[in-house]
């Protein structure tokens, strides 16, 4: 069997760097905490519109959030 590559969670990394909470991000995105948490923990993948919104809120390029 092939090995699965572990991907780093880039949203989580940028939140931590800036000292921003998932609760704040959820509120700014007008999304529930559970959906935001699923994105942050890589259980769900955000669509491109959401990636662009998150990037704007975190002051990074959308490419910085996609591995």
């Amino acid at each position: 069997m092939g090995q699965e590559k572990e991907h780093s969670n880039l949203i989580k990394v940028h939140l931590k760097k800036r000292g921003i909470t998932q609760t704040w991000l959820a509120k700014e995105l007008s999304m529930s905490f559970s959906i935001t948490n699923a994105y942050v923990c890589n259980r769900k993948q955000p669509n491109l519109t959401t990636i662009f919104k998150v990037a704007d809120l975190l002051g990074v390029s959308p490419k910085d959030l996609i591995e």
Side-chain angles (χ1 to χ4, degrees), residues 13-53:
V13 168
H14 289 286
L15 285 174
K16 188 172 182 175
K17 277 184 186 178
R18 287 159 181 75
I20 296 173
T21 65
Q22 291 181 45
T23 303
W24 179 87
L25 183 61
K27 183 177 177 184
E28 292 297 311
L29 293 171
S30 299
M31 292 184 178
S32 69
F33 177 83
S34 62
I35 293 293
T36 304
N37 180 261
Y39 293 155
V40 171
C41 295
N42 282 329
R43 289 189 310 274
K44 283 189 164 195
Q45 295 303 312
N47 62 32
L48 284 176
T49 302
T50 302
I51 289 171
F52 274 83
K53 287 179 186 177

